[in-house]
Amino acid sequence: MGETTIEMARAAINAAQRVIILSHERPDGDAVGSLLALTLSLERVGKNVTPVLLEGVPSRFRFLPGADKVKTDIPSGGDLLILVDASDLQRTGFPIKTLPRQPDINIDHHPTNTDFALINIVNHQASATTEILYDIIPQLGLEIDTEVATNLMTGLITDTIGFRTDSVTSRTLEIASELVGIGAPMAEIYARTLNQRSFVSAQYWGRGLNRLERENGILWTSLTVEDRELVGYPGSDDADLVNLLATIEGIQVVLIFIEQVGGKVKVSWRSRPGVNVAEIAFSFGGGGHEQAAGATIEGGMQEIKERVLTATRGSISLSPEEFA
Ligand code: AMP
Ligand code: MN
Ligand code: MN
């Protein structure tokens, strides 16, 4: 990251008193961890910070230090707007016209990031946005204490699914080691974020598992609003089913279609190296990484399934990789 970009961010932060920080809708551990790490480190130097998530903090992340500070409405009157782990302006889930200003600072690791802010701190090589924050928090004149470290570690552990993705580098592991040194409770974060699910999540998975379909190297299923109502699942996501499906052998691409209220479908892709699903997601207005991407598409389930599967088949036939 260029010196001047960080210096500009540092100057903008120094000049600001009321800071608003946003991340993406259906927040994952990197979204929540980045949001809270930056919030706490800015509060320590006397800033008035409001972290905002459209749907609040999902229950499995409520143990994180600072989680109780998160609001679900954007306050008026902030003088600095920061977005973390969001690749474009739509990602916060709030209508763009309700954002208080053009974002001042954009901190992210998605290759599909659109550089939408005045100051863009984007590193595609980072395994998580919290990996970038680990380096820039000190450069911004802020401190990483145990509570900040806990949030940073949560982003690393969740975005890499426990250091299992090929986005993990020796630097990722070095940072993880340093965060443990600062007091981040790695085993607890692992247990709470990756190794623990509610009974209703399992019931919700069951509905999706019943509809599993496979064709050549593609595996997919869907989850509906009715599924969530029937089992009492509180979120609007897939309860991480896509990552379970991604462990099934002989598959090149996994997709999950998650019906949303208001005539939209959230699509998640996971792929083996050789199939770039970020490109497919981007063509549907979404984004992500080569091996993990998503898009929220307007329309009905059936029609979207057909369009998305056609595009996905196209990308597989372009790749010579073998599949069972
Ligand atoms: P998910 O499938 O939601 O777990 O997301 C996989 C990756 O794709 C993550 O890096 C997300 O940030 C990204 N992603 C998911 N949905 C969208 C979207 N609607 N627009 C842009 N990126 C997305
Ligand atoms: Mn994320
Ligand atoms: Mn991330």
Side-chain angles (χ1 to χ4, degrees):
M1 193 47 54
E3 276 293 290
T4 50
T5 309
I6 298 293
E7 275 162 28
M8 281 164 68
R10 186 172 178 146
I13 287 170
N14 284 343
Q17 189 43 43
R18 300 191 54 193
V19 183
I20 300 170
I21 314 181
L22 304 176
S23 189
H24 61 79
E25 61 181 331
R26 287 183 294 275
D28 51 32
D30 192 29
V32 180
S34 298
L35 183 82
L36 296 178
L38 199 53
T39 297
L40 294 176
S41 61
L42 285 169
E43 279 187 353
R44 306 283 194 252
V45 294
K47 304 293 177 189
N48 175 330
V49 189
T50 311
V52 184
L53 291 170
L54 181 67
E55 302 119 316
V57 178
S59 56
R60 69 185 178 288
F61 301 125
R62 287 203 194 125
F63 74 100
L64 287 172
D68 54 337
K69 298 174 189 289
V70 173
K71 304 279 184 278
T72 53
D73 289 307
I74 302 175
S76 56
D79 46 19
L80 192 76
L81 178 62
I82 306 178
L83 264 63
V84 290
D85 198 43
S87 54
D88 61 63
L89 271 183
Q90 281 81 29
R91 280 293 275 156
T92 68
F94 291 99
I96 292 177
K97 59 180 186 303
T98 67
L99 299 182
R101 52 198 284 135
Q102 180 187 2
D104 299 279
I105 307 178
N106 156 26
I107 307 171
D108 186 36
H109 67 127
H110 294 98
T112 51
N113 192 285
T114 58
D115 288 344
F116 51 79
L118 296 171
I119 303 166
N120 299 289
I121 303 174
V122 179
N123 177 0
H124 307 171
Q125 262 72 52
S127 69
T129 297
T130 62
E131 183 172 324
I132 303 173
L133 284 171
Y134 178 83
D135 285 331
I136 68 167
I137 286 176
Q139 292 168 0
L140 294 173
L142 309 171
E143 217 185 300
I144 300 179
D145 62 12
T146 303
E147 296 197 329
V148 173
T150 299
N151 280 297
L152 294 177
M153 181 67 108
T154 298
L156 291 187
I157 288 180
T158 55
D159 260 22
T160 64
I161 326 175
F163 306 107
R164 285 191 288 146
T165 56
D166 56 7
S167 57
V168 173
T169 62
S170 62
R171 180 69 187 140
T172 315
L173 297 174
E174 251 166 45
I175 292 174
S177 161
E178 285 163 27
L179 291 172
V180 171
I182 301 170
M186 180 150 139
E188 185 192 356
I189 297 167
Y190 237 99
R192 288 188 185 264
T193 60
L194 295 181
N195 280 343
Q196 188 165 295
R197 20 198 120 254
S198 62
F199 181 66
V200 293
S201 296
Q203 288 181 305
Y204 182 43
W205 279 6
R207 306 207 48 100
L209 290 171
N210 260 323
R211 297 189 194 107
L212 213 49
E213 290 187 67
R214 184 171 69 158
E215 177 200 282
N216 298 325
I218 307 180
L219 181 81
W220 70 92
T221 192
S222 54
L223 291 162
T224 65
V225 174
E226 191 188 22
D227 291 332
R228 297 197 281 281
E229 284 168 1
L230 279 171
V231 302
Y233 182 75
S236 55
D237 56 22
D238 65 340
D240 217 27
L241 177 58
V242 70
N243 288 325
L244 176 78
L245 299 182
T247 64
I248 296 175
E249 57 189 10
I251 300 298
Q252 284 233 311
V253 182
V254 173
L255 299 98
I256 193 156
F257 298 88
I258 315 153
E259 186 188 29
Q260 304 293 307
V261 288
K264 290 181 282 186
V265 175
K266 163 71 203 287
V267 185
S268 286
W269 287 260
R270 297 292 183 270
S271 67
R272 301 262 186 269
V275 183
N276 181 351
V277 287
E279 280 175 5
I280 316 174
F282 195 72
S283 76
F284 284 98
H289 309 278
E290 283 196 17
Q291 263 73 71
T296 302
I297 309 170
E298 298 211 2
M301 179 65 95
Q302 206 44 45
E303 164 229 349
I304 288 173
K305 253 189 195 170
E306 279 161 27
R307 281 169 50 209
V308 167
L309 284 170
T310 302
T312 305
R313 283 184 195 107
S315 82
I316 277 209
S317 62
L318 292 176
S319 91
E321 229 75 359
E322 276 181 24
F323 53 85

